[in-house]
Amino acid sequence: MRRTCAVLGLIAVAAAAALLAPDAALAQGTPALRSYADPVGADSRLVVWIAAQLHLMFAAFVLAVPMFALYLECMGWRLAKREPATAARYDWLAHEMARLLPPAYSLTAITGAFLGFALFAAYPGFMGYMTNVFGPTFVVYPLFFVAETLCLYLWYYAWNRLQGDRKWLHVMLGVLLNLFGTIVMFIADAWATFMMTPAGVDQSGNLISLYAAVWNPGWMPLNIHRLVANITFGALLCGAYAAYRFLLAADDEERALYDWMGYTGNLIALFTMLFLPFAGYYFGFELFAFSATYGVTLMGGVLSWLFIIQAIVIASLFIGAAYYAWLGFLRIPGSEAQQRWVPAFNIILILGFMVWATPHTMAASIEESTGGFHPLLGALGLMAPKMIAVTLILLVLYVSYLLYRHAGRILTVPWAKTGSLVQWGLIALTGAAIIGLGIYGYFAPAHIRIQTSIWQILVLIGGIVVTFVLDQFLLAGARTQAAVRWGTMPRRGQYVLIALAFIIVWLMGLMGYARSAVRLNWHIFGLMEDTSAGAGLPSLGEAAIVITGITLIFFVLLAGSFAISGLSGGSKGAHGSERRAATAS
Amino acid sequence: MIGRLLRQLPLPTGAFLVLAAAYIALKLARPVIPGSVILLYMGFVLAGVVIHVTLTDERIRRFRDFFVPAAGEETGVRLQRYGLLLVLPLVVAWGTYDATRPSYAPPIEIFQRHPTAGDEVLSRIKVPDWAASPARWNADTVAKGKIVYAANCAVCHGDNLDGLGPAAEGFRYPIRPANFRDVGTIAQLTLPYVYWRLTVGGIQNQFNSAMPRWVAPADAPNATTLHTYDLTPDEAWQVIVYIYKATGFEPRLEAEVVDHSKH
């Protein structure tokens, strides 16, 4: 309760800053004089950069975890009568994930308040303008934040009280928590995207329509991108937490539970990662449509090498997640038939990522320089082959999951052989269509190429949906040859989970930088130029150092908050009875 | 067949052969693949090999046991072990020497294919109505553009617009004249951007590109610099129309003309 009060106090401070500071800034005099201030004698841009990124990371975590924790809780609720033991496991898992929220929420509020202070103190002119445009949202935002806070603490602390017949009330609290959290994110996204794709104002920046300013061209794409990415992010952090608990587990039962938690976290992350590249392309598509300058800056210009780094980092993420998933076969006796596919998948994954990470322009010495585009690498460095590569990789990851579902199970439906043939035929057809569309798109003009990439995505999603539905019927009544032996995952799998958490945090830092850097010397693209001393872009090396620093700070703070959450008793205390119920299954 | 062969070999030997084969193939590829890209690719190949070797406990054990002499083992296995124990340190030693030996070559520089131009620059460039979209390009414009191209551009960019003009061989580092027939050049760009490149030439630094400035920038029509402005703005637009028409590409057009007041 004391923590709740502290968080509410911080929110009040942040809200007061949000409401009062602009007026103070506007009262200072001419725009030229009040544009920038140097409140702490440090590089203002660096301070805001660090504060904003840390706030976004904690906010992403506290927004995402309730989403899949609620989903898991509902799974348990649904099974409560039929399979009470399984239901108890789901409920334990959901609560275990939710346990990480209260301390992380405090840090979200602290970093948010710090960001608010830093922005208003260092950029009074800019924030004054933003307040003029978005004033009403600055009032509504804290209200939803408070509502989200109340729901979060009630949802978490009333978990054990609202069981049984009152579970529906608890689930409703979870729904409200997610609703308010999503609204909070959508409001903040409106401010961020207005800076990139301003709308609802005239050429002089005077507000014409607040609705249009909020629903600017970049708003919905960023909302979708962040929703999906946040879930990936939160799931991988939960996975890392589970890995940590697995490595420290005192007995097999605890190990089994945390193995299952890590598996679930990785599965959620992998599932959402399927959609992440496409959410990114959708966002990029809208940015390109808004201004071709964005396209050139991101893909061919000053940020083009950032995307090579991004490609390598994403590749590491997918490779790590796939490796963990393939290690998972070891939990299932009798999965040798499925394991035979892994070498082929491994080759496709590696070749795919070699294409995916091929730079369009080379860093070459005099001896290596061939002039212009390298005939092979220049061709692979374009969007069309990269789309083929990434879409096929996603297909392979999906097929890995299908095989995992089949591992240790014998199909009993009479049409099993035909069904399996049709299923594999459809998967092959999906792969062929993806390749065909990619080849067509390679030779087509840019605007058609973008459309073919959208069709590739639709073909992939269509293929996944159809074959997954078919799989549900195929597996109906399947005989289990050998149960999954939770807790037998090798320790190296746990280290992979922890590494994945570091990678996703670093990646998020990199993309946060890319999103801000692409505006170049504009606070608000095309409307308000950044004339401060920090208007230029840092070199990629400097940016990487800052991002690494932010990642380390984030993990130090997160580890501290997890340690605090562990003080509440962990598996031996408050959650001990739930764990016993869960392991009883 | 290769897979079967690899399976018959001890795991470390197979892993080494895969890595060596990938490296040699990348090294032997012509035209030369830059070392930075080979490093990138080898990182992925290594990741694939590590995944394969560590996917099961049994494979890890086989990999480890290979390096421990066992009684009664075949001579071939023993030779492979000592061979690897000899070759691997040598590879590392060579890599260390190669990375640290003095070199007089200029440092490797990251090159941007399309230098970044701010919106405040591009928005000042007004495309003439007759050049603004492919539908408005007429034969007369294309013909004039072809003459301008032949007189000024073809010597480097080639009669076929493929970057293989007679002077192209003179430029090597880091790029030679652009091949307009490649989908990665003009097909990716907007008309104002291409015009802007004609106003600035190879702007990144003097070693990066020999492209001269051909036309005065939009914000300083009477400016003079070291280079002579050989083209008038109209001639510049004509030649831009010509290179698009002759290659069959179309410029990237803004999907919508952004008018802030309409949103």
Side-chain angles (χ1 to χ4, degrees), chain A residues 371-373, chain B residues 113 156-157 160-164 176-187 247 249:
Chain A
F373 291 111
Chain B
R113 169 62 51 186
C156 293
H157 292 283
N160 294 323
L161 302 98
D162 52 8
L164 297 175
R176 293 201 299 196
N179 168 9
F180 297 128
R181 293 195 179 278
D182 188 292
V183 292
T185 58
I186 54 171
T247 54
F249 292 130

Side-chain angles (χ1 to χ4, degrees), chain A residues 256-290:
Chain A
L257 280 175
Y258 285 111
D259 188 12
W260 184 54
M261 183 175 175
Y263 162 80
T264 310
N266 190 58
L267 185 67
I268 293 168
L270 261 180
F271 178 72
T272 48
M273 272 200 279
L274 287 177
F275 303 97
L276 211 43
F278 311 128
Y281 276 124
Y282 173 41
F283 187 39
F285 183 78
E286 288 297 326
L287 287 182
F288 281 35
F290 185 83

Side-chain angles (χ1 to χ4, degrees), chain A residues 198-199 201 212 290 292-293 300-302 305 312 323 342 346 357-358 361 363 368-369 372-374 382 449 492 521-522, chain B residues 31-32 35-36 40-41 48 54-55 57 60 110-111 113-114 116-117 119-120 172 174 176 183 188 190 254 258 260 263:
Chain A
V201 293
F290 185 83
T293 303
V302 70
W305 276 86
I312 296 168
Y323 178 54
V342 172
N346 191 14
T358 298
T361 44
E368 295 165 338
S369 178
F373 291 111
H374 190 284
L382 293 174
R449 186 157 55 247
R492 57 186 177 278
N521 55 321
W522 296 92
Chain B
V32 174
S36 58
L40 183 73
Y41 283 173
T54 62
L55 211 50
D57 292 338
I60 293 176
I110 289 178
F111 177 76
R113 169 62 51 186
H114 305 307
T116 297
D119 205 47
E120 68 279 12
R172 186 167 174 80
R176 293 201 299 196
V183 292
Q188 306 277 343
T190 61
E254 304 271 355
V258 179
H260 298 306
H263 289 289

Side-chain angles (χ1 to χ4, degrees), chain A residues 273-584:
Chain A
M273 272 200 279
L274 287 177
F275 303 97
L276 211 43
F278 311 128
Y281 276 124
Y282 173 41
F283 187 39
F285 183 78
E286 288 297 326
L287 287 182
F288 281 35
F290 185 83
S291 169
T293 303
Y294 279 139
V296 173
T297 305
L298 285 167
M299 292 299 151
V302 70
L303 294 179
S304 55
W305 276 86
L306 182 145
F307 278 88
I308 297 300
I309 296 174
Q310 183 225 25
I312 296 168
V313 177
I314 288 179
S316 311
L317 201 63
F318 272 107
I319 289 171
Y323 178 54
Y324 179 85
W326 294 335
L327 278 178
F329 283 122
L330 300 182
R331 297 192 193 101
I332 309 171
S335 63
E336 289 74 15
Q338 284 77 21
Q339 286 182 44
R340 272 204 295 273
W341 286 91
V342 172
F345 290 169
N346 191 14
I347 290 170
I348 296 173
L349 196 75
I350 296 304
L351 288 177
F353 278 123
M354 285 165 76
V355 174
W356 163 259
T358 298
H360 188 217
T361 44
M362 309 296 158
S365 66
I366 282 185
E367 292 84 359
E368 295 165 338
S369 178
T370 55
F373 291 111
H374 190 284
L376 178 65
L377 304 180
L380 293 180
L382 293 174
M383 184 181 175
K386 284 172 191 266
M387 273 300 294
I388 295 177
V390 76
T391 324
L392 286 182
I393 286 166
L394 295 178
L395 189 65
V396 161
L397 289 176
Y398 165 69
V399 174
S400 300
Y401 174 62
L402 277 188
L403 290 177
Y404 190 86
R405 282 163 58 87
H406 283 250
R409 297 168 89 176
I410 297 170
L411 303 180
T412 54
V413 288
W415 48 277
K417 198 171 178 185
T418 316
S420 294
L421 274 175
V422 170
Q423 191 182 31
W424 282 100
L426 285 173
I427 289 168
L429 195 65
T430 305
I434 287 166
I435 294 170
L437 281 165
I439 292 170
Y440 171 70
Y442 179 82
F443 295 103
H447 65 282
I448 294 177
R449 186 157 55 247
I450 291 172
Q451 285 169 8
T452 57
S453 63
I454 294 168
W455 274 106
Q456 284 174 302
I457 298 160
L458 293 176
V459 165
L460 176 72
I461 293 173
I464 287 176
V465 169
V466 171
T467 52
F468 189 78
V469 170
L470 184 60
D471 204 57
Q472 290 288 97
F473 288 110
L474 267 174
L475 284 175
R479 194 152 42 83
T480 303
Q481 205 174 18
V484 181
R485 295 176 305 173
W486 294 110
T488 57
M489 177 64 127
R491 290 172 75 86
R492 57 186 177 278
Q494 312 306 322
Y495 294 119
V496 169
L497 281 184
I498 293 169
L500 289 179
F502 271 91
I503 294 171
I504 189 82
V505 171
W506 201 90
L507 176 62
M508 197 145 153
L510 183 76
M511 297 327 290
Y513 167 69
R515 200 184 55 72
S516 283
V518 73
R519 295 195 315 270
L520 300 172
N521 55 321
W522 296 92
H523 286 310
I524 302 166
F525 191 74
L527 273 182
M528 183 183 276
E529 202 162 353
D530 183 352
T531 55
S532 70
L537 291 186
S539 70
L540 210 45
E542 286 172 62
I545 289 170
V546 175
I547 292 162
T548 307
I550 291 170
T551 304
L552 292 175
I553 296 169
F554 175 76
F555 272 101
V556 168
L557 292 174
L558 194 72
S561 71
F562 284 179
I564 291 168
S565 74
L567 293 178
S568 67
S571 60
K572 292 190 176 93
H575 291 235
S577 56
E578 289 171 53
R579 185 173 83 85
R580 279 190 292 279
T583 51

